[in-house]
Amino acid sequence: MQIGELAEATGLSRDALRFYEARGLLTARRLGNGYRDYPVEAVEWLCYLRTAQSLGFTLSEIEAGMPLLSDPANSASELRAALERKLADIDTRIAGLAELRAALAARLADPLEACPLQAGAVTASA
């Protein structure tokens, strides 16, 4: 499958495909004319990769877990554990943002003439 066909099948740009290839997330063999030739399985692999990205996984995380994604049917429990870790990470970030929001709201509750960044203003909890 040539790069244009893969781009059409996945909805990704040729530049995105080249980028994934440069990162080692996608492999192609070179034909005699220099064109890239992707295996048919690349379409499914790219769908998994894009789904992982849409769920908040970074390319670095995907690279680290690439063996899992290359055979998702046989690594469902490991993929589930990765999703659970990502969910816990998001919950931690949400809790941190809630604390930050409360601190900002407390600063804004001060009288209008008071500078909300002065040392005497309400302090954020750490």
Side-chain angles (χ1 to χ4, degrees):
M1 174 179 301
Q2 291 184 355
I3 194 166
E5 295 168 314
L6 185 57
E8 186 175 326
T10 60
L12 297 168
S13 71
R14 293 171 189 217
D15 287 340
L17 297 174
R18 289 184 194 105
F19 175 76
Y20 289 142
E21 187 177 350
R23 294 274 313 240
L25 291 165
L26 182 62
T27 57
R29 65 184 180 101
R30 292 290 183 151
L31 300 176
N33 59 7
Y35 289 179
R36 291 171 172 87
D37 183 43
Y38 296 96
V40 175
E41 298 81 23
V43 174
E44 185 178 18
W45 161 246
L46 289 165
C47 288
Y48 283 115
L49 186 143
R50 297 298 287 170
T51 299
Q53 282 186 300
S54 73
L55 292 172
F57 289 89
T58 65
L59 286 180
S60 295
E61 290 170 326
I62 294 167
E63 288 167 343
M66 197 163 80
L68 298 176
L69 285 177
S70 64
D71 189 14
N74 292 321
S75 52
S77 63
E78 293 175 71
L79 287 169
R80 181 175 276 303
L83 291 172
E84 288 171 351
R85 286 189 301 274
K86 180 55 79 175
L87 183 60
D89 177 50
I90 289 170
D91 287 342
T92 299
R93 289 170 35 201
I94 288 172
L97 287 171
E99 288 179 19
L100 177 59
R101 187 191 186 290
L104 287 169
R107 295 285 177 134
L108 289 171
D110 284 347
L112 289 177
E113 58 277 350
C115 175
L117 298 180
Q118 285 182 337
V122 177
T123 57
S125 59

